[in-house]
């Protein structure tokens, strides 16, 4: 932002687009594409699929801009659309593999986390990016999603609740479960001798 | 708060989502509890690595994405300086056809003040809607002839 330039909020841009200035949608994408791509990549693992999903999300958001309510931010709204698109793609893939995501989720939800907490007690210097990638890939996609929203996008609980359309308490509980699942995955690699 | 309760809130503590009172309590507990401190440190490390390893998107990549997505929103033929030539030709071809048709019409049948001027025809375009817009002011044989000329009969 150079001196003398006036900052226009996302909400103002949306209003102008609704009044017919479609070209301004480029500015919204310019502002939020990096985060959306990053979210899609975290969930889909494939850069080209992530890019396609990001584009579909932005096109869908553009076409349903009249449904956008200004009590939430455009950023959380576009995150919701992109996350849903990625989850759909992952479910589709899982169904194709006859390995439904629900089964994966059931397993992780039913697991007792009591003993897992201590697994986070791994010498922190032993945690490297390879390991984090391995850990992330072992997590159910819903956990990856909430972790990315919090840890990568830096959303607060209120914003996460808008993206996931759930209560603040649910955000707290899900985030805790996701982190514990992270610990469990870490323990798995510890037992396998990777750490 | 007891150790177990504190342990449950470590995540929210790190996320800055606790009340000032709760923050104070957890900070005090962290100073004396090795287990909670280690959990906290491990998570901070994971979080740090997650932050660092996540994709960095360059300005150029962003611009390319914006350009190709905007093409789907506003097709190139309807915007921008480069698109102007396309727009010009798209408009000009049917306009020329109509211009010639109109010229022929006025030359053969003779111009009248009741008829639309040739430049009005050019501005209006070249399809049947245009013929319908103009023809009410044209009567008889001339109208039918003009109509069949437009329809290519
Ligand atoms: Zn403790």
């Amino acid at each position: 932002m150079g001196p003398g330039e006036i900052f226009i909020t996302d909400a103002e841009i949306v209003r102008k687009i609704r009044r017919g200035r479609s070209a301004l949608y480029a500015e919204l994408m310019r502002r939020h594409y990096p985060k959306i791509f990053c979210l899609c990549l975290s969930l889909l693992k494939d850069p080209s699929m992530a890019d396609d999903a990001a584009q579909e999300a932005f096109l869908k958001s553009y076409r349903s801009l009249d449904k956008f309510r200004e009590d939430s931010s455009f950023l959380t709204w576009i995150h919701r659309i992109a996350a849903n698109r990625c989850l759909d793609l992952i479910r589709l893939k899982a169904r194709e593999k006859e390995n439904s995501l629900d089964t994966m989720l059931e397993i992780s939800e039913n697991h007792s986390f009591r003993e897992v907490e201590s697994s986070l007690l791994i010498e922190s210097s032993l945690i490297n990016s390879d390991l984090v990638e391995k850990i992330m890939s072992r997590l159910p996609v819903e956990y990856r999603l909430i972790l990315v929203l919090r840890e990568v996008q830096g959303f607060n609980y209120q914003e996460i609740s808008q993206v996931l359309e759930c209560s603040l308490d649910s955000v707290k509980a899900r985030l805790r479960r996701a982190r514990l699942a992270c610990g469990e995955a870490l323990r798995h690699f510890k037992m396998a001798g990777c750490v | 708060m007891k150790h177990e309760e504190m342990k449950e809130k470590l995540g929210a503590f790190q996320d800055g989502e606790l009340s000032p009172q709760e923050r104070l309590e957890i900070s005090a507990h962290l100073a004396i509890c090795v287990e909670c401190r280690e959990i906290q440190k491990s998570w901070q490390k994971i979080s740090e690595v997650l932050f660092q390893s996540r994709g960095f998107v360059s300005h150029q990549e962003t611009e390319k994405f914006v350009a190709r997505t905007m093409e789907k929103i506003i097709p190139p033929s309807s915007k921008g300086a480069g698109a102007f030539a396309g727009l010009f030709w798209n408009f000009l071809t049917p306009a020329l056809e109509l211009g010639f048709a109109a010229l022929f019409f006025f030359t053969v049948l003779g111009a009248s003040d009741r008829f639309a001027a040739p430049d009005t025809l050019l501005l209006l375009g070249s399809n049947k809607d245009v013929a319908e817009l103009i023809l009410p002011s044209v009567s008889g044989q001339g109208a039918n002839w003009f109509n069949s000329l437009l329809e290519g009969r």
Side-chain angles (χ1 to χ4, degrees):
Chain A
M1 181 85 24
E5 280 181 63
I6 300 161
F7 181 77
I8 304 175
T9 64
D10 288 353
E12 284 171 81
I13 294 179
V14 169
R15 255 172 262 144
K16 284 176 195 282
I17 296 168
R18 279 170 169 170
R19 275 189 247 121
R21 297 187 57 190
S22 310
L24 287 176
Y25 195 65
E27 178 56 21
L28 282 182
M29 288 196 284
R30 202 167 280 126
R31 287 180 187 184
H32 304 304
Y33 167 70
K35 279 194 165 205
I36 293 302
F37 175 74
C38 177
L39 173 81
C40 296
L41 186 60
S42 299
L43 297 174
L44 299 172
K45 310 274 171 215
D46 177 89
S48 140
M49 269 176 82
D51 201 67
D52 287 348
Q55 188 176 59
E56 284 165 30
F58 275 109
L59 289 174
K60 184 172 182 190
S61 133
Y62 176 79
R63 286 175 196 135
S64 46
L65 218 50
D66 52 328
K67 288 185 202 138
F68 170 68
R69 298 196 328 271
E70 285 188 21
D71 53 356
S72 74
S73 73
F74 180 79
L75 182 62
T76 57
W77 192 60
I78 185 71
H79 267 76
R80 185 159 77 228
I81 293 173
N84 285 337
R85 180 65 195 140
C86 291
L87 294 182
D88 283 348
L89 287 171
I90 290 165
R91 287 197 183 101
L92 207 72
K93 233 165 118 184
R95 214 173 297 141
E96 278 168 11
K97 281 185 188 173
E98 291 182 346
N99 177 17
S100 101
L101 179 74
D102 296 339
T103 327
M104 280 157 64
L105 270 176
E106 261 169 44
I107 294 165
S108 62
E109 298 273 358
N110 291 339
H111 211 91
S112 158
F113 287 119
R114 188 146 282 281
E115 54 181 330
V116 171
E117 234 152 9
S118 57
S119 67
L120 276 173
L121 293 175
I122 287 175
E123 186 73 46
S124 54
S125 60
L126 292 175
I127 301 165
N128 58 42
S129 57
D130 266 5
L131 183 63
V132 171
E133 276 306 320
K134 281 182 192 159
I135 291 168
M136 289 295 273
S137 65
R138 269 187 69 85
L139 296 181
V141 66
E142 269 79 0
Y143 289 174
R144 287 209 305 269
L145 172 59
I146 198 165
L147 285 171
V148 169
L149 291 175
R150 173 60 219 151
E151 300 292 338
V152 185
Q153 312 295 57
F155 282 177
N156 62 32
Y157 290 6
Q158 182 68 44
E159 290 167 324
I160 296 173
S161 78
Q162 284 173 6
V163 176
L164 302 181
E165 292 180 290
C166 65
S167 69
L168 279 181
D169 281 341
S170 174
V171 169
K172 279 181 202 163
R174 286 191 208 185
L175 205 45
R176 185 173 138 76
R177 283 204 296 270
R179 281 169 170 163
L180 291 175
C182 239
E184 190 188 14
L186 201 56
R187 190 177 55 143
H188 166 87
F189 287 111
K190 189 167 85 172
M191 287 192 327
C194 297
V195 181
Chain B
M1 265 194 282
K2 296 204 172 80
H3 164 75
E4 285 301 322
E5 242 182 294
M6 303 264 191
K7 205 158 79 172
E8 274 193 25
K9 290 191 173 174
L10 285 175
F13 173 79
Q14 187 179 306
D15 295 335
E17 299 274 351
L18 292 179
S19 68
Q21 178 60 32
E22 285 175 314
R23 280 200 74 78
L24 274 179
E25 275 185 67
I26 304 257
S27 304
H29 178 73
L30 279 172
I32 54 161
C33 177
V34 179
E35 189 187 342
C36 284
R37 209 160 52 230
E38 280 304 313
I39 292 173
Q40 180 75 354
K41 250 202 268 173
S42 295
W43 186 259
Q44 267 170 358
K45 180 70 186 176
I46 292 177
S47 160
E48 200 178 286
V49 177
L50 273 172
F51 268 116
Q52 288 166 2
S53 66
R54 290 293 140 179
F56 168 77
V57 180
S58 72
H59 178 67
Q60 286 93 325
E61 283 168 315
T62 302
E63 285 309 315
K64 276 186 207 160
F65 176 85
V66 169
R68 69 174 181 273
T69 309
M70 280 314 284
E71 272 183 22
K72 298 203 169 188
I73 289 172
I74 307 172
S77 61
S78 64
K79 69 171 171 61
F84 181 72
L87 182 72
F88 183 66
W89 283 111
N90 284 348
F91 171 74
L92 195 64
T93 315
L96 278 176
E97 282 169 18
L98 189 70
F100 279 117
L103 190 66
F104 194 51
F105 180 63
F106 284 100
T107 312
V108 173
L109 297 173
S112 157
D113 286 344
R114 283 166 59 227
F115 297 153
D119 52 357
T120 314
L121 294 178
L122 278 170
L123 284 171
L124 284 169
S126 73
N127 57 25
K128 192 138 181 290
D129 298 341
V130 177
E132 279 159 13
L133 277 174
I134 300 162
L135 287 175
S137 66
V138 183
S139 57
Q141 208 187 351
N144 292 335
W145 179 84
F146 185 53
N147 211 0
S148 61
L149 185 74
L150 278 174
E151 286 173 354
R153 274 191 261 126

